[in-house]
Amino acid sequence: MGRKAKTLGNVVNFLVAFSLLVYLSYALPRLMPGDFVTAMFASSHVTLSAQQEAEAKAYFQREEGFGLYLLRIVRFDWGWSYALFQPVLSLILQALPWTLVLAGGAHVLASVCGFVMGVEAAWRRGSRVDRALVGAMTMLEGVQEMAVGVALVAIFALHLHWFPTGGAETPYAEVSLEARLVDMAHHLVLPMATLVISYLPGNFLLARNSMVMVLGKEFILTARAKGLPEKRVRYAHAARNALLPVLTRFGLRLAFMVTGVVVVETMFSYPGLGTLLFNAIRSRDLPLVQGVVLFSSAVVLVVNVALEFVYTRVDPRTRHAP
Amino acid sequence: MSTLRFFLRVLLSFSVLIVLATATWAHGAEIRIADSKGDWGYPNPWKHYPRGPGYVRMSWVFETLVWKDENGIVPALARSWYYDRDRRAFVFEMVAGAKWHDGKPVTPEDVAFTVEYFKKHPYGWVVLDYVERAEPTGPNQVTFFLKRPYAPFMEDVGGTMPILPKHIWEKVPDPKAYGEPAAFVGCGPFVFKDFDVAKGTYLYVAFPEYYLGRPKVERLIYVRALDPLAALLSGQAHLANIEPEMRPLLESRGMTVIADRAGWVKKLMINHRMFPLNDRRFREALAYAISQEEIIEKAHRGRGRAASYGLLSVDHDDYNPNTPRYPHDPSRSRQILESMGFELGKDGFYYKDGEALRLELLVSPITVAGQPAADRDGEVIRDQLESVGIRVDLRNMEQTTTDAKVRNWDFQLAISGHGGIMGDPKILNEMISEEYAAGSVNSARFQDNKELLKLLETQMLEMDPAKRRAMVYRIQEIFAEELPSICLYYPETLAAYDPKKGIRWFYTKGGISKGIPIAQNKLSLIR
């Protein structure tokens, strides 16, 4: 198959997958039991008469059909939130930076640290350091992020008072930009540490196993026989070839960062797309739910496409894969 | 070594910056209130969420004619009022000197305009069906002319209707779509400055020209905090609703804990439109099978009080002490079931015509005062009912799913709860009659007892408090006899605050506005 045909095939696959995701983002939220008016008014202090209820439903729950929805999506008109009276896209963009900082930062940190630690442990396979790291990481792998978060809050926030218990920054603090940035970093430490501690063991164990496999290959023996420095053999020859599975894991995890951090966002009252989606589902805010679902689906798709590209850079052999 | 030194320097600088930053924020002119959800909509009548915390956020900005404190109704924009029986009208004398946040004076014309505007663009919290019109009848006087007498007027309209600035809203054709800064111009003690949707935070600043005097704090901030205990202990918040278990620790750390009267009730919703729940005798058997005390003891470690079966709170001025009661009596429950033709099977459960008596009970973490609270009520009730021979399938669901099923009568039993039972007895109409609350999931929507329906209708028209009380007494009796839903218990409703901030928070008698059981009364920051 020619290169052009392959590229065209990829584009077609991408478009088909995107269309399917758009349809799912439209159809799935509609399968949820309950509706916005029931969620907002049913157990509130406002007791709606039958007529008021019908009027509210007519105002908020105008059904447009998939065709119109699709048309709006491609025109970047993602609708308005029922509950917040704001454009869905603007709400997503307000929450996105926080998710990128927390979830994205934690993924990068956990992946880099996990990979380097995994490479170093595999290189020292069987040593005391390796055994201790494998033992500790295997144990940590079994601890839920909720438990990690609770422990960190109890020790570092409530007992030692080193860090705040929640939030992304001190709300409405009248301080300079530098102090605000420091404050944000201060608030970020515990939620990010929770995520890093949760993600690190998996990355470490995967990188170590991958590295152990690579270290047994003949080209490593050749590199050593050529008298190359140890660091070069370890990273340029071995680690580079052990990187692919770690990269795949990074991509998959990153793709699910929207929904994957709901627990930590909720626990630390940290803003982000997870919290936005959680609240939108609770109030059956259909336009917002479908907006966030579509956005996160698009992230999954884009990350997968990006991974295809990165694979070919990291391991040129994948270019020739059928 | 040099790397280590570099890292130590960075760490030291970071710590110094944090200390400096913290010192800058630690001034006493602001109050921070913790809330687990954070997002309650924008604080104006059409944009706040229709639950209590949404209304409270609006109440800092907008004023009503009267308000309530810990003892009952007190003057607000109206300094005095009376009911003119001959003209069937409420007459309010307004305070002089009240100003809108943009500096313009508050006038009786604004009040009259508000009524007309809410008639055109209904606001769910205020029912104006009984109000014919409102008009200025003096330089500082406004009169509400009623179509019919309306007993809950003072709480329902006087103490709940936010007064709008005419000069702003008269130009607004669709208030739901209006989001300009002017949409948040009120004459309340605080000026709305910001709502951060992503962070769930609100900022209000003091309105220096507030007619009751400058508020005690310059800034009022809501912060989102899942755990009120952690927020209070870490100093991130100065006031929060708390769980009863948190009380001893918070008190030991110098926090003041306050408790509300019984203003919120947990109920067993019953689908009385289907067999066997449509039979009053069967509902009575359920009531005898359920031990309120055991639920409180087992699911809440004794923190709560048994509820009156007549719906109105036992702390309400109009509570009828002779409301029928159903002390826990499993044998009586079995007798009733057997008198209805149910037969006890060898497995210890009842059957009728060979079919097992089996009920489904829906439970979900119910939001109390803005906080979702999970409990074991469902398990305890299931055990109690099964011990008398009624098999129960317990189904845990998310609250909106349960609400939707109850709303559509797609359930048998469900655990629910609501506030308002310390407010005006109009709550009885809303929680009993379908005519008042067809869309409510807390309302029994019970239309089978004609005497009850008649009383509900007439108590709304009775302006004589003594006569109305007699009707309200009888309504409670009938409700407890019919049991279209079974009141279970009043959970302890507590809030904790930091007394060092110099503010004394309190729970409002009858709840804020229409019975909101939240200790965030604006008068705490004024008087």
Side-chain angles (χ1 to χ4, degrees):
Chain A
M1 194 192 286
R3 205 168 165 179
K4 272 190 182 169
K6 198 178 170 189
T7 311
L8 189 69
N10 282 345
V11 171
V12 170
N13 283 344
F14 179 86
L15 287 176
V16 169
F18 184 71
S19 309
L20 196 66
L21 288 177
V22 172
Y23 179 72
L24 288 177
S25 74
Y26 174 82
L28 286 180
R30 282 169 170 73
L31 295 178
M32 286 190 296
D35 57 83
F36 176 72
V37 172
T38 305
M40 290 298 269
F41 292 90
S43 54
S44 75
H45 282 75
V46 177
T47 43
L48 298 180
S49 65
Q51 190 196 341
Q52 288 169 325
E53 190 188 30
E55 282 168 6
K57 283 188 174 172
Y59 185 88
F60 287 111
Q61 293 164 213
R62 282 166 290 202
E63 210 32 271
E64 56 184 356
F66 181 65
L68 274 177
Y69 172 70
L70 189 63
L71 202 64
R72 281 199 300 98
I73 293 303
V74 293
R75 281 159 46 196
F76 287 96
D77 170 13
W78 289 22
W80 285 63
S81 155
Y82 290 157
L84 295 158
F85 298 94
Q86 271 193 47
V88 167
L89 213 48
S90 128
L91 290 168
I92 290 175
L93 292 177
Q94 281 175 52
L96 183 63
W98 300 104
T99 297
L100 285 177
V101 168
L102 175 62
H107 277 300
V108 170
L109 209 59
S111 297
V112 171
C113 292
F115 182 68
V116 172
M117 287 164 75
V119 166
E120 293 297 330
W123 191 258
R124 295 170 177 79
R125 191 180 177 194
S127 69
R128 204 180 289 173
V129 175
D130 176 45
R131 286 205 304 270
L133 275 173
V134 171
M137 292 296 175
T138 309
M139 199 181 72
L140 271 181
E141 175 80 340
V143 182
Q144 291 289 313
E145 53 190 29
M146 170 112 52
V148 175
V150 168
L152 291 181
V153 168
I155 298 167
F156 296 102
L158 294 178
H159 184 66
L160 297 171
H161 299 287
W162 287 1
F163 299 102
T165 52
E169 61 177 315
T170 307
Y172 308 112
E174 293 169 317
V175 290
S176 65
L177 180 64
E178 294 78 18
R180 192 176 168 202
L181 288 174
V182 171
D183 182 50
M184 284 178 179
H186 191 206
H187 280 77
L188 188 63
V189 172
L190 288 188
M192 188 175 273
T194 305
L195 286 177
V196 169
I197 291 171
S198 306
Y199 298 158
L200 186 69
N203 292 332
F204 166 82
L205 293 170
L206 185 65
R208 184 188 172 278
N209 288 351
S210 176
M211 184 75 177
V212 166
M213 302 286 280
V214 172
L215 287 176
K217 301 278 183 192
E218 286 173 355
F219 68 88
I220 299 295
L221 192 64
T222 310
R224 277 179 164 156
K226 282 188 336 196
L228 292 175
E230 270 207 357
K231 264 193 182 168
R232 193 169 161 79
V233 176
R234 201 185 314 163
Y235 283 96
H237 289 256
R240 187 175 174 185
N241 283 287
L243 185 61
L244 227 53
V246 180
L247 206 62
T248 308
R249 182 182 158 91
F250 175 78
L252 288 176
R253 286 269 182 162
L254 196 68
F256 291 102
M257 71 178 176
V258 173
T259 48
V261 293
V262 173
V263 172
V264 171
E265 278 183 8
T266 308
M267 177 184 260
F268 288 95
S269 308
Y270 205 87
L273 286 170
T275 308
L276 192 67
L277 178 64
F278 181 67
N279 284 339
I281 290 173
R282 277 210 304 194
S283 60
R284 299 296 191 268
D285 190 343
L286 213 57
L288 192 51
V289 174
Q290 59 195 22
V292 180
V293 169
L294 179 63
F295 182 82
S296 51
S297 313
V299 169
V300 173
L301 204 60
V302 169
V303 167
N304 273 298
V305 171
L307 275 180
E308 287 280 320
F309 177 75
V310 174
Y311 282 159
T312 59
R313 299 278 151 184
V314 175
D315 188 348
R317 287 173 302 177
T318 54
R319 274 181 221 164
H320 307 293
Chain B
M1 201 58 199
S2 60
T3 316
L4 184 68
R5 215 174 291 148
F6 171 74
F7 276 116
L8 281 174
R9 273 186 197 158
V10 170
L11 199 67
L12 191 67
S13 320
F14 188 72
S15 313
V16 169
L17 274 170
I18 286 171
V19 170
L20 283 175
T22 313
T24 318
W25 302 321
H27 55 83
E30 69 182 29
I31 281 287
R32 290 173 182 259
I33 302 175
D35 181 281
S36 67
K37 186 170 180 287
D39 158 25
W40 291 100
Y42 286 87
N44 94 4
W46 290 277
K47 299 207 170 205
H48 76 73
Y49 292 2
R51 296 193 183 191
Y55 183 91
V56 169
R57 273 156 186 71
M58 184 198 67
S59 73
W60 301 106
V61 180
F62 289 89
E63 284 287 288
T64 49
L65 288 169
V66 296
W67 196 242
K68 282 189 274 185
D69 67 6
E70 54 204 316
N71 299 312
I73 290 179
V74 293
L77 277 177
R79 59 185 165 84
S80 64
W81 57 90
Y82 63 92
Y83 178 60
D84 184 338
R85 202 171 283 272
D86 298 334
R87 289 194 295 161
R88 203 189 296 141
F90 274 95
V91 182
F92 291 91
E93 285 296 330
M94 293 179 65
V95 292
K99 283 184 180 171
W100 296 107
H101 295 158
D102 59 8
K104 296 198 164 65
V106 179
T107 64
E109 281 79 9
D110 289 312
V111 181
F113 167 79
T114 302
V115 171
E116 287 312 307
Y117 200 74
F118 280 141
K119 276 175 174 274
K120 259 192 240 161
H121 308 282
Y123 169 48
W125 281 69
V126 179
V127 180
L128 291 168
D129 297 349
Y130 292 75
V131 179
E132 189 181 292
R133 68 185 193 283
E135 60 184 52
T137 43
N140 282 315
Q141 191 185 73
V142 63
T143 304
F144 286 70
F145 296 95
L146 307 185
K147 291 177 192 165
R148 285 184 287 173
Y150 186 53
F153 180 89
M154 283 309 290
E155 182 173 289
D156 222 29
V157 180
T160 299
M161 186 177 76
I163 305 301
L164 304 171
K166 182 182 176 187
H167 62 280
I168 290 173
W169 291 94
E170 65 186 348
K171 301 166 204 150
V172 179
D174 181 5
K176 286 196 185 87
Y178 186 56
E180 299 300 313
F184 306 99
V185 168
C187 57
F190 287 89
V191 179
F192 170 64
K193 284 289 174 188
D194 185 57
F195 164 42
D196 188 315
V197 178
K199 292 182 205 146
T201 53
Y202 291 78
L203 171 66
Y204 303 83
V205 298
F207 178 44
E209 294 176 82
Y210 182 55
Y211 65 97
L212 290 176
R214 193 186 181 103
K216 290 179 190 170
V217 294
E218 284 307 305
R219 303 202 313 163
L220 172 67
I221 294 167
Y222 278 93
V223 297
R224 182 164 64 206
L226 181 71
D227 184 354
L229 183 74
L232 286 165
L233 290 180
S234 63
Q236 284 185 291
H238 309 122
L239 168 69
N241 298 325
I242 61 160
E243 298 289 327
E245 295 79 28
M246 300 169 182
R247 183 176 198 155
L249 177 61
L250 287 166
E251 283 180 333
S252 72
R253 299 286 182 91
M255 295 285 167
T256 301
V257 176
I258 49 173
D260 196 6
R261 298 169 178 92
W264 200 95
V265 66
K266 201 73 171 277
K267 289 199 310 200
L268 181 67
M269 299 300 293
I270 298 172
N271 185 346
H272 48 76
R273 294 186 176 183
M274 65 185 299
F275 180 79
L277 299 160
N278 57 353
D279 191 320
R280 197 190 61 77
R281 291 173 300 165
F282 189 85
R283 300 197 292 269
E284 201 178 318
L286 289 180
Y288 280 120
I290 293 170
S291 164
Q292 296 174 315
E293 288 75 16
E294 191 183 32
I295 299 171
I296 296 165
E297 203 51 50
K298 284 191 174 169
H300 303 274
R301 292 165 294 284
R303 296 181 173 106
R305 291 157 71 192
S308 159
Y309 292 91
L311 195 58
L312 223 49
S313 166
V314 292
D315 290 336
H316 198 286
D317 291 341
D318 292 340
Y319 163 63
N320 178 356
N322 297 319
T323 303
R325 289 171 198 183
Y326 299 87
H328 184 48
D329 192 345
S331 57
R332 184 130 181 223
S333 177
R334 285 190 205 100
Q335 276 171 15
I336 296 171
L337 292 174
E338 282 160 22
S339 73
M340 289 176 68
F342 288 99
E343 291 170 359
L344 198 60
K346 285 179 187 162
D347 57 0
F349 292 103
Y350 280 101
Y351 289 80
K352 191 168 192 178
D353 304 328
E355 213 169 300
L357 172 55
R358 193 175 200 125
L359 297 175
E360 185 184 71
L361 173 60
L362 308 182
V363 292
S364 47
I366 292 170
T367 305
V368 186
Q371 307 260 120
D375 54 47
R376 293 180 52 234
D377 293 351
E379 291 165 54
V380 179
I381 291 173
R382 178 195 58 196
D383 293 348
Q384 291 175 350
L385 295 182
E386 292 203 334
S387 74
V388 298
I390 302 170
R391 204 185 289 272
V392 175
D393 297 320
L394 196 62
R395 286 191 68 190
N396 271 289
M397 295 177 145
E398 169 241 10
Q399 190 180 355
T400 307
T401 306
T402 302
D403 286 351
K405 286 176 97 61
V406 173
R407 167 68 191 87
N408 299 320
W409 295 100
D410 178 21
F411 79 110
Q412 290 177 308
L413 299 174
I415 296 180
S416 183
H418 60 86
I421 53 166
M422 270 297 288
D424 189 276
K426 182 190 171 190
I427 188 74
L428 294 167
N429 297 45
E430 293 172 342
M431 291 301 127
I432 299 174
S433 165
E434 189 165 28
E435 281 168 35
Y436 286 83
S440 168
V441 297
N442 295 319
S443 175
R445 295 172 284 170
F446 182 69
Q447 303 294 101
D448 294 353
N449 189 308
K450 301 290 170 236
E451 185 193 354
L452 181 63
L453 294 179
K454 180 79 185 154
L455 279 166
L456 289 172
E457 201 56 50
T458 46
Q459 70 112 346
M460 297 285 278
L461 307 171
E462 184 51 67
M463 303 300 279
D464 181 327
K467 286 183 186 166
R468 189 182 186 209
R469 174 173 292 176
M471 291 176 192
V472 170
Y473 267 39
R474 181 66 191 134
I475 291 169
Q476 292 172 73
E477 283 169 8
I478 299 175
F479 185 80
E481 285 160 10
E482 289 284 0
L483 293 170
S485 59
I486 297 176
C487 298
L488 299 172
Y489 65 91
Y490 312 118
E492 264 187 27
T493 307
L494 302 175
Y497 65 89
D498 181 357
K500 291 194 284 293
K501 298 301 289 184
I503 307 294
R504 190 183 71 81
W505 296 96
F506 60 85
Y507 277 105
T508 308
K509 186 182 179 189
I512 291 171
S513 170
K514 293 168 90 171
I516 305 166
I518 300 179
Q520 292 166 26
N521 191 314
K522 57 186 161 189
L523 295 179
S524 294
L525 294 181
I526 295 158
R527 288 175 177 175

